[in-house]
């Protein structure tokens, strides 16, 4: 399951970075000045920043506990679908309004899932840092100060 999630992230990150790189509209005329980016660079920064935030949070959790279980949320899964749709809409011919609409929808889901995962991480860390309850303190041990002397 972990490798599947990693493959999704690598595929989407690579596709996003490549779509930000300028390309020629007319490859038959490489000397032309008609370079275009299929996605704005800011989109790549947002998507990659979220993934780096998640990776750093996971690494921190692993360092603190020695193990980690990565469970994608439903919002995270919807975000992956929205990002795939963004890549497809940037590459596919279609109405000019469609690609920006799909792109900003993917950005909104990316932001929302990043916030959701951050709150989950904060909640998990606060539970991890709570002092452990010592159930033995509430139970009498049968010994008194006089009997230990």
């Amino acid at each position: 399951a972990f490798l599947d999630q990693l493959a999704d992230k690598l595929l989407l990150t690579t596709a996003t970075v490549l779509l930000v790189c300028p390309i020629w509209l007319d490859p038959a005329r490489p000397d032309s000045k008609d370079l275009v980016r299929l996605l704005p660079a800011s989109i790549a920064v947002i998507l990659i920043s979220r993934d780096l935030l998640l990776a750093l949070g996971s690494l921190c959790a692993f360092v603190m506990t020695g193990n980690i279980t990565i469970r994608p949320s439903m919002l995270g899964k919807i975000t992956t679908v929205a990002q795939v749709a963004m890549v497809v809409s940037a590459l596919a011919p279609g109405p000019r309004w469609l690609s920006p609409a799909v792109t900003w929808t993917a950005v909104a889901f990316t932001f929302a899932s990043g916030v959701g995962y951050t709150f989950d991480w904060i909640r998990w860390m606060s539970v991890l840092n709570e002092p452990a309850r010592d159930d033995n303190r509430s139970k009498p041990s049968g010994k008194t100060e006089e009997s230990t002397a």
Side-chain angles (χ1 to χ4, degrees):
F2 172 74
L3 290 179
D4 184 46
Q5 294 170 12
L6 183 62
D8 287 346
K9 292 295 156 215
L10 289 175
L11 174 70
L12 288 170
T13 300
T14 303
T16 302
V17 168
L18 290 175
L19 290 172
V20 167
C21 295
I23 61 168
W24 283 285
L25 286 178
D26 187 1
R29 295 182 20 219
D31 60 333
S32 73
K33 303 289 185 212
D34 296 333
L35 291 174
V36 67
R37 295 176 193 264
L38 297 176
L39 283 178
S42 59
I43 302 300
V45 169
I46 292 168
L47 271 60
I48 293 169
S49 295
R50 173 208 175 247
D51 290 342
L52 286 176
L53 178 71
L54 296 178
L56 288 174
S58 297
L59 179 64
C60 181
F62 179 76
V63 167
M64 292 181 73
T65 64
N67 66 5
I68 183 118
T69 302
I70 300 174
R71 288 176 299 219
S73 69
M74 183 55 71
L75 187 57
K77 293 177 181 184
I78 293 169
T79 299
T80 300
V81 170
Q83 290 176 354
V84 170
M86 176 192 70
V87 170
V88 170
S89 72
L91 292 172
R96 287 183 108 16
W97 60 267
L98 183 62
S99 182
V102 173
T103 297
W104 288 108
T105 300
V107 168
F109 277 114
T110 299
F111 182 76
S113 68
V115 169
Y117 282 128
T118 301
F119 281 128
D120 288 346
W121 186 82
I122 290 169
R123 188 172 30 252
W124 182 78
M125 291 301 287
S126 66
V127 168
L128 184 67
N129 289 328
E130 282 182 0
R133 287 188 173 177
D134 188 4
D135 291 334
N136 292 333
R137 284 188 296 171
S138 61
K139 296 178 185 174
S141 63
K143 295 182 180 179
T144 61
E145 287 182 29
E146 294 139 6
S147 64
T148 58

